[in-house]
Amino acid sequence: MSTRTLIAALACTAAVQVPVAHAADDPGALIACGTTEADRTTSRTEALTRSQSWLDARVPYSQQACHENEHGSYRTDCSGYVSLAWGLTHSRTTTTLRDVATEVPRADLRPGDALVASHHAALFVRWADDAKLEPVVREQTGPDGEPPVERTWTAQTAGAYTPVRYYKVTEQ
């Protein structure tokens, strides 16, 4: 197995919900999927609508590909998926998503916020429980070819992620 194939197989593997290392020189970060001249102001409803478009189209996971639809062109990995939902100028990486977001208290997560770690990112949809421990997320997961999913994370899985809010999100 080549290093490139191994990286793609390990990246964004929340399907098994265990942390994996993202290579610092992630080859997917080099894929240029350009969309807009500036990061857009996006409402929470729009973020969910934009993310739903990839669920409906069953966009296959890849760090080497872009997917284009009415919302723009984005890399088809986990951070590209969050970039699509937020309407960013281009596909960010799991590390650089924090450059356009602010950390928020976990209990304050709202639809369209995200949960990020060095190895994965997912869009927050809602809480599955009243205790606000188990988030329902939408995520583009690997390995190669898997479509995005909406699922409930355990409290343990969610605890390994930092909750963040896009800096240009509106409450609409």
Side-chain angles (χ1 to χ4, degrees), residues 60-81:
Y61 175 91
S62 173
Q63 288 186 322
Q64 308 307 314
C66 300
H67 178 76
E68 186 170 352
N69 67 9
E70 69 274 18
H71 303 297
S73 176
Y74 294 91
R75 195 177 56 249
T76 60
D77 62 4
C78 60
S79 52
Y81 185 67

Side-chain angles (χ1 to χ4, degrees), residues 12-15 17 22 47-48 51 77-86 93-95 97-98 101 106 109-126 135-141 148-153 157-158 160-166:
C12 298
T13 55
Q17 296 190 359
H22 233 332
L48 295 180
S51 69
D77 62 4
C78 60
S79 52
Y81 185 67
V82 173
S83 298
L84 154 81
W86 287 353
T93 65
T94 54
T95 303
L97 280 171
R98 292 172 188 254
R106 188 170 309 279
L109 278 168
R110 295 184 210 143
D113 289 340
L115 291 157
V116 298
S118 62
H119 62 279
H120 188 57
L123 190 71
F124 177 81
V125 178
R126 66 183 173 281
V136 175
V137 299
R138 291 180 181 166
E139 56 188 330
Q140 183 79 46
T141 62
V149 296
E150 180 174 306
R151 71 166 135 224
T152 302
W153 280 0
T157 297
Y161 290 79
T162 302
V164 298
R165 179 163 298 141
Y166 176 46

Side-chain angles (χ1 to χ4, degrees), residues 26-76:
D26 169 10
L30 302 177
I31 303 298
C33 303
T35 301
T36 61
E37 292 183 22
D39 293 337
R40 63 178 278 130
T41 299
T42 304
S43 73
R44 296 185 180 287
T45 302
E46 288 172 320
L48 295 180
T49 297
R50 291 168 69 90
S51 69
Q52 184 67 47
S53 71
W54 277 23
L55 285 171
D56 293 344
R58 300 187 47 80
V59 175
Y61 175 91
S62 173
Q63 288 186 322
Q64 308 307 314
C66 300
H67 178 76
E68 186 170 352
N69 67 9
E70 69 274 18
H71 303 297
S73 176
Y74 294 91
R75 195 177 56 249
T76 60

